[in-house]
Amino acid sequence: MNAAPRIQTTAGRLAALGFADGARAERLLDELGPEAVGDFALLDDLVRAADPDLALTALSRLVERDPSVLGAFRADPDLRRRLLGVFGLSAALGEHVVRHPECLPSIQWTRWPTLGELREEMLLAVGADPDEAEPVAEPAADGITAGPGASGPAMEALRVAYRGRLLHLATRDVTGECTLAEAAAALADLASAALEAALAIARAEVADAGDVRLAVIGMGKCGARELNYISDVDVVFVAEPKEGVDETKALQTATRLAQGLMRACSASTPEGSLWEVDANLRPEGKMGPLVRSMESHLAYYRRWAKTWEFQALLKARPVAGDLELGQEYVAAVNELVWQAAARPKFVEDVQAMRRRVEAHVPAGEADRQIKLGPGGLRDIEFAVQLLQLVHGRSDPLLRRRATLSALSALSRGGYVGRDDAKALAEAYTFLRQVEHMLQLHRLRRTHVVPSDTADLRRLGRGLGMTTDPVGEFTTTWKRHALEVRRLHEKLFYRPLLQAVARLPETEARLSTAAATARLEALGYADPEGALRHIAALTSGVSRRAAIQRTLLPVMLGWFADAPDPDAGLLGFRQVSDKLGTTPWYLRLLRDETAVAERLAHLLGTSKYVTGLLLHAPEAVAMLGSPAELAVRPAATLAAEAAAAVGRHAEDAESAVAAVRALRRRELLRTACADLSGLIDIEEVGQALSSLNDVTIQAALDTAINKVTLERRAPFPTRLAVIAMGRLGGLESSYASDADVMFVHAPLPGVAERDATDAAHAVAEETRRLLARPAPDPPLQIDAGLRPEGRQGPLVRTIASYRAYYDRWASHWEAQALLRARFCAGDAELGREFVALVDPLRYPAEGISADAVREIRKLKARMEAERLPRGADPALHTKLGRGGLSDVEWVAQLIQLRHAGAVPALRTTRTLDALRAAAGEGLLDPADEEVLAQAWLFASRIRDALMLVRGRAADSIPTPVKERVLLARALGYPPEGTEDFVEDYRRTTRRARTVVERVFYED
């Protein structure tokens, strides 16, 4: 029996043609009328759209609004094809056309306007004269004259005009009438024109707008003319006053203009917003001023800019405002950009930044991110930019802003292989096309490939994949991503980059298999790098090279015995580069074996010491004998500091710079003595605290002298600095801030307000001078322990302190005052202050049971709340179990309870307090020994962390390599890392047991 013939419905035929919902498509076509149903050309163009259902929905709504559209389609097939192509990709542009059918004629334009034409169009849209770029007043509805300074209508008009042009560009894009590069450049030009119009809106709102020249510098994709359909527009603002205008006033005006421009682009209106204007690439980022002068920009870039900032400036281009000023700015910064690769650790900085970007991609998005994910756009951009900056120093042909243009230049120059460049260009083009289609859909900023099948189908069809859109798209995307990642690793992390960036080309040919094997056997992690350093030190026929050839065979073994041989050899090369032509340096190393061996040990152990030596390499001379490394008396240092201040009496910054140089030298002396085993941790704390006292005293004297000269009158008050915290306890570490309080006493006949103002000025100047960015380590002054904390006045009179402590002092303040001691300023006033607080910190009858309970509660809360998230309590030296805080609170509680009756407890030092408590029978001697061992061990680790890593830390690190380096610095053998960790755990466990019994009485 034959089967009945299959009858296919209209809905079924539409589904077969590509509509996801055939029944709905049939209904919408019927609603368009019989002419539409029978228009096979219309149906054919709908079916060709990336999403036929989306295109038909937008068309249905447009015809409902304007029935003449179908007639226009029949009269102009190109109009139909263009518009339906956009409707099939962009629901947002479909919405725009339905709201504004008057924009349809623009779709018929075949030529994309020039930048000048776009600028004129956008300015006219907001009511500004293109020749003047100033708003033209228009009569308002109520008869009152109002220009676009009534910014709402102007901003709406700008959005309508902008989206009309966006629609025009999208029609050219989806029909293949422009390349990706042309579309991206057109988007950047359109953004430039919109920024110009937004600036015109801002000018209408800002008085004195004509007093300043303001240039808008495009950065990122905007600057490179490779913008997306929806992207933050990165900019930097630079301004100069017009002739005769005060610079400060002009910059204030320019700031208001910049803020108005940003608001005109990003504010939400009934027509939506354009995009965010992002000015965070400016100097100091969000923390810096929004607008700077040219001189301020250049001063920052010359002195403070980080590597990533020069990488960002690679794409800088004037886009709006005063274009002449913008060109001057770009020309000036370009001189700095192309020297960035010569900066120390340039390549490593860029690579580290790339790793940070990768680390911040949300875990759930990493495999679908076409921008930041592995094999994404950023991989291509970072590799290309790095190669540009490294090779562009000597090859001006590489100085291109746009990625594809730069990649082509790199290929022509031989810096990237042709096949690699072709693969990267194809992948970049594909990924940018996908990015454009993702953003066109809703006109939203996104870089995440959707997981929904319908969305993937639209992407595939939009790319011309019709057989299996989802499968073809996914396969192509993954293939490009894998290839990009492979090439990114090849180009971005190749060792040759370091050689090209930092070393002469000939050094790359010096390595041999035998030498490499030997260095690996000695323990060098990077034997190739070691060979380059050796070659640099020994190549040539100079006397210097000859001595280095004699020294290095021995020193390589000493470096190998140090915790980090590679760092030791690198540090030696750096120091030698600075001192190699100094006659005494090589002679000292050659003739004094102990100096060379000690230098090798220090450089291979401590980044902190290496850093200090590189800023003062002549200090190598102090390694000649243990006597040279002995801690110098405070009185000697004070005299030297006073002499330095006296030599620069007219220049406060130079005076304190000289004192800070002295401090740097003494920090180095202390660190070398410490690592050489010549002083113990208590002596280190005493030496560093005394050095800080001397430094603060010198800075205070300088500040008083400066303020006195500025006031042109004698200084009106006595001023003292009271050390607190670890400084007060003479227990400073290498990473310690200086915790202090400032107290003053007006001289007879001086008004208190006048005296306080002067004292406050001195305190602030002292803090500023000691914290100024400089090659020498800063000394941060922290006055947070003063009454009322950071909310209270920085400086008080002694009478004010007395009134406060009499009425308001809390238990924790009395506890903090246990470490208070005079450290700088007026010694008599310092003694008066100490006498004032003694009854508070050493109460005659001790503290009450309620107070003891409060202290215990506070300690328990600190343990629960202040330990950093993720930190192991057993390995945190400060706040962990049995660590510094535990031991110190035991000592301080004993002092608060008993020091009023036991004078021996009246000390600011933790271990002295514990010893006195044991001596007076207030603490079991065995418990005192356990607590002291834990405190000493934790203190040694904190100092060693700073010495080894060159930066502060409180926890024993988790990475194995860092633990090994720390253990070695503390004297453990290479195989003793686990012993070190277990020793610390055991020591602090025992201490915690004592704490719980003695402090908590558990």
Side-chain angles (χ1 to χ4, degrees):
M1 184 174 179
N2 294 332
R6 183 178 179 184
I7 301 174
Q8 190 173 28
T9 65
T10 301
R13 288 196 298 272
L14 291 172
L17 286 171
F19 288 92
D21 188 342
R24 181 175 179 275
E26 180 183 9
R27 176 173 58 79
L28 291 178
L29 284 168
D30 286 341
E31 291 174 358
L32 291 176
E35 292 182 357
V37 174
D39 189 342
F40 293 108
L42 172 65
L43 185 61
D44 191 41
D45 283 338
L46 280 169
V47 169
R48 284 202 185 105
D51 187 338
D53 299 85
L54 185 63
L56 179 55
T57 299
L59 176 62
S60 173
R61 295 183 60 209
L62 178 59
V63 170
E64 183 181 351
R65 176 77 181 271
D66 183 1
S68 68
V69 168
L70 291 176
F73 276 7
R74 285 191 295 275
D76 187 349
D78 278 347
L79 172 64
R80 180 187 65 230
R81 178 172 55 87
R82 290 163 177 265
L83 190 60
L84 293 180
V86 172
F87 280 180
L89 273 175
S90 178
L93 286 177
E95 291 276 355
H96 177 77
V97 175
V98 170
R99 285 200 313 276
H100 299 282
E102 69 276 7
C103 71
L104 284 176
S106 67
I107 298 173
Q108 297 168 292
W109 300 334
T110 56
R111 185 182 69 84
W112 181 254
T114 65
L115 175 58
E117 291 168 338
L118 285 171
R119 177 180 179 273
E120 180 177 351
E121 184 179 323
M122 295 298 130
L123 286 169
L124 287 172
V126 302
D129 183 345
D131 294 328
E132 301 293 334
E134 296 288 351
V136 177
E138 298 174 345
D142 57 4
I144 300 172
T145 299
S151 55
M155 287 195 288
E156 290 184 39
L158 175 59
R159 283 145 179 73
V160 172
Y162 179 88
R163 292 231 165 78
R165 275 299 173 190
L166 203 65
L167 174 67
H168 176 203
L169 178 61
T171 62
R172 302 185 73 243
D173 193 3
V174 300
T175 54
E177 296 173 31
C178 63
T179 64
L180 170 72
E182 290 169 342
L187 286 164
D189 288 348
L190 182 56
S192 297
L195 288 168
E196 196 71 67
L199 182 57
I201 293 173
R203 287 185 182 281
E205 300 173 337
V206 175
D208 303 323
D211 290 349
V212 65
R213 301 170 65 197
L214 176 65
V216 185
I217 309 299
M219 306 285 282
K221 284 184 162 55
C222 179
R225 295 186 79 232
E226 51 185 8
L227 201 61
N228 299 329
Y229 274 96
I230 288 293
S231 177
D232 288 354
V233 173
D234 296 310
V235 301
V236 167
F237 296 104
V238 59
E240 291 293 329
K242 294 282 185 71
E243 187 174 350
V245 178
D246 175 70
E247 180 175 307
T248 300
K249 179 178 178 294
L251 288 176
Q252 291 170 347
T253 300
T255 299
R256 292 195 297 273
L257 284 172
Q259 291 168 337
L261 177 150
M262 296 171 75
R263 186 169 56 251
C265 293
S266 61
S268 180
T269 73
E271 290 293 337
S273 62
L274 293 183
W275 12 255
E276 291 291 326
V277 177
D278 189 341
N280 290 338
L281 291 178
R282 65 186 184 267
E284 300 181 83
K286 293 180 181 179
M287 306 306 293
L290 182 61
V291 182
R292 288 177 183 255
S293 67
M294 174 88 78
E295 181 182 354
S296 176
H297 273 281
L298 295 178
Y300 172 85
Y301 288 128
R302 286 175 181 137
R303 188 165 188 184
W304 306 116
K306 298 180 176 61
T307 297
W308 70 263
E309 293 177 281
F310 291 110
Q311 187 179 357
L313 286 170
L314 180 68
K315 297 184 180 294
R317 176 177 67 93
V319 293
D322 191 317
L323 298 182
E324 183 181 348
L325 175 60
Q327 292 288 5
E328 292 173 8
Y329 173 87
V330 171
V333 298
N334 273 347
E335 294 181 13
L336 304 175
V337 167
W338 298 110
Q339 296 304 315
R343 292 161 61 91
K345 295 191 175 180
F346 161 78
V347 174
E348 293 86 343
D349 284 350
V350 178
Q351 291 173 342
M353 181 168 60
R354 178 67 189 118
R355 286 190 289 268
R356 285 196 295 273
V357 170
E358 293 171 348
H360 284 85
V361 178
E365 293 183 1
D367 61 343
R368 295 187 293 120
Q369 259 273 1
I370 61 168
K371 179 180 180 181
L372 303 179
L377 289 163
R378 192 56 61 86
D379 275 352
I380 302 173
E381 292 163 352
F382 260 76
V384 169
Q385 290 164 19
L386 179 58
L387 288 167
Q388 279 184 278
L389 289 169
V390 167
H391 299 292
R393 287 187 293 164
S394 55
D395 189 346
L397 295 177
L398 302 182
R399 300 176 184 181
R400 314 293 179 90
R401 294 187 181 96
T403 302
L404 287 176
S405 175
L407 184 56
S408 177
L410 286 165
S411 177
R412 287 195 300 273
Y415 304 103
V416 178
R418 290 183 181 178
D419 291 341
D420 290 350
K422 181 181 177 183
L424 285 174
E426 289 177 352
Y428 185 79
T429 301
F430 173 83
L431 293 171
R432 286 297 304 275
Q433 287 173 331
V434 173
E435 184 180 44
H436 279 190
M437 285 190 286
L438 285 172
Q439 295 178 350
L440 266 175
H441 184 47
R442 298 288 182 192
L443 285 185
R444 290 178 185 163
R445 185 173 179 267
T446 180
H447 305 95
V448 178
V449 175
S451 55
D452 181 74
T453 301
D455 290 329
L456 292 173
R457 180 172 178 269
R458 184 182 66 255
L459 290 173
R461 285 173 60 89
L463 291 165
M465 303 169 180
T466 55
T467 304
D468 177 16
V470 175
E472 288 181 64
F473 168 74
T474 304
T475 300
T476 305
W477 169 38
K478 295 299 183 184
R479 174 172 57 80
H480 280 306
L482 285 172
E483 183 68 358
V484 167
R485 194 60 179 176
R486 182 185 72 80
L487 293 173
H488 172 73
E489 297 286 347
K490 175 181 177 180
L491 298 175
F492 198 70
Y493 294 106
R494 60 178 180 165
L496 266 181
L497 271 178
Q498 279 85 343
V500 173
R502 305 295 300 148
L503 301 169
E505 188 176 343
T506 53
E507 294 189 16
R509 299 194 292 270
L510 294 173
S511 60
T512 66
T516 300
R518 182 177 178 189
L519 287 168
E520 282 183 323
L522 283 171
Y524 289 82
D526 179 15
E528 290 82 8
L531 281 169
R532 290 195 295 273
H533 300 319
I534 294 167
L537 289 163
T538 59
S539 296
V541 296
S542 65
R543 178 174 175 274
R544 170 190 173 187
I547 295 177
Q548 297 282 26
R549 283 194 289 271
T550 302
L551 284 171
L552 271 173
V554 179
M555 294 197 72
L556 286 173
W558 288 333
F559 290 135
D561 291 337
D564 192 342
D566 299 85
L569 179 55
L570 172 61
F572 180 65
R573 178 182 173 182
Q574 292 170 324
V575 172
S576 295
D577 284 347
K578 288 181 176 289
L579 287 177
T581 58
T582 306
W584 60 264
Y585 168 63
L586 289 174
R587 185 170 63 246
L588 177 69
L589 295 183
R590 182 193 62 193
D591 299 339
E592 298 290 339
T593 305
V595 175
E597 185 173 4
R598 183 172 287 131
L599 178 63
H601 171 70
L602 293 169
L603 294 174
T605 302
S606 174
K607 290 183 179 179
Y608 184 78
V609 165
T610 302
L612 292 174
L613 265 177
L614 290 178
H615 287 298
E618 67 280 358
V620 168
M622 73 172 62
L623 303 179
S625 70
E628 285 290 326
L629 295 179
V631 175
R632 300 176 70 202
T636 302
L637 294 177
E640 187 174 347
V645 169
R647 286 194 298 271
H648 302 277
E650 301 301 318
D651 185 347
E653 293 184 354
S654 297
V656 174
V659 173
R660 285 174 61 178
L662 182 156
R663 179 172 178 266
R664 177 195 59 214
R665 185 194 69 203
E666 297 307 315
L667 285 172
L668 176 61
R669 190 190 309 276
T670 303
C672 291
D674 186 1
L675 289 168
S676 301
L678 301 176
I679 54 177
D680 63 26
I681 192 65
E682 285 191 82
E683 292 170 308
V684 169
Q686 175 78 52
L688 294 176
S689 300
S690 296
L691 178 58
N692 288 342
D693 286 356
V694 168
T695 305
I696 293 170
Q697 180 68 65
L700 188 73
D701 290 342
T702 303
I704 289 174
N705 183 56
K706 179 180 178 181
V707 170
T708 300
L709 290 173
E710 290 174 348
R711 290 168 53 89
R712 299 181 180 179
F715 193 63
T717 188
R718 294 183 298 144
L719 180 61
V721 182
I722 307 301
M724 302 287 286
R726 301 188 75 80
L727 177 62
L730 297 169
E731 297 160 354
S732 293
S733 69
Y734 297 103
S736 290
D737 292 342
D739 291 307
V740 304
M741 295 194 298
F742 294 94
V743 57
H744 79 104
L747 296 176
V750 174
E752 182 174 321
R753 179 57 183 269
D754 184 52
T756 298
D757 288 346
H760 185 274
V762 166
E764 288 286 16
E765 181 66 2
T766 301
R767 297 170 75 183
R768 185 189 73 83
L769 290 169
L770 291 175
R772 285 183 68 242
D776 303 311
L779 179 58
Q780 301 291 345
I781 301 295
D782 187 346
L785 291 175
R786 64 186 184 267
E788 300 174 88
R790 302 188 188 280
Q791 303 304 312
L794 179 62
V795 184
R796 287 177 182 262
T797 64
I798 193 164
S800 175
Y801 276 104
R802 180 177 292 108
Y804 175 89
Y805 288 136
D806 284 345
R807 187 171 184 184
W808 303 112
S810 63
H811 302 308
W812 76 263
E813 287 178 303
Q815 185 178 351
L817 287 168
L818 287 169
R819 293 186 170 212
R821 67 173 179 84
F822 165 76
C823 76
D826 188 295
E828 183 182 350
L829 179 60
R831 287 190 291 272
E832 290 176 31
F833 181 91
V834 169
L836 165 67
V837 300
D838 274 350
L840 184 63
R841 60 181 177 173
Y842 309 137
E845 303 300 324
I847 56 174
S848 67
D850 288 340
V852 172
R853 280 193 294 272
E854 287 298 317
I855 291 171
R856 288 171 178 160
K857 286 179 183 178
L858 178 59
K859 176 69 168 69
R861 190 164 71 247
M862 285 179 55
E863 292 176 10
E865 297 174 359
R866 289 188 57 191
L867 193 70
R869 184 187 298 273
D872 184 346
L875 299 179
H876 197 278
T877 61
K878 182 178 180 181
L879 301 174
R881 294 189 291 268
L884 295 171
S885 179
D886 269 359
V887 177
E888 289 164 358
W889 281 61
V890 169
Q892 290 160 14
L893 182 58
I894 292 173
Q895 288 178 290
L896 289 169
R897 299 175 81 172
H898 303 290
V902 181
L905 288 172
R906 299 173 189 174
T907 174
T908 62
R909 308 191 67 176
T910 301
L911 295 186
D912 284 352
L914 292 175
R915 292 170 187 137
E920 295 293 334
L922 300 171
L923 181 66
D924 188 297
D927 289 342
E928 181 268 331
E929 183 178 356
V930 168
L931 293 173
Q933 286 179 351
W935 191 91
L936 290 167
F937 203 178
S939 296
R940 288 180 61 218
I941 290 172
R942 286 187 83 203
D943 273 3
L945 281 165
M946 182 66 178
L947 291 171
V948 169
R949 304 170 71 182
R951 61 183 189 275
D954 290 316
S955 284
I956 294 174
T958 301
V960 173
K961 181 179 179 180
E962 291 189 26
R963 278 194 179 182
V964 170
L965 295 178
L966 179 61
R968 294 288 307 280
L970 289 167
Y972 285 80
E975 67 281 1
T977 303
E978 291 307 313
D979 291 341
F980 151 63
V981 176
E982 186 51 39
D983 285 350
Y984 181 74
R985 289 181 184 274
R986 181 173 58 254
T987 301
T988 52
R989 275 199 306 268
R990 294 173 60 201
R992 182 63 183 191
T993 300
V994 174
V995 170
E996 289 176 353
R997 187 177 68 251
V998 174
F999 183 86
Y1000 290 110
E1001 295 184 357
D1002 187 358

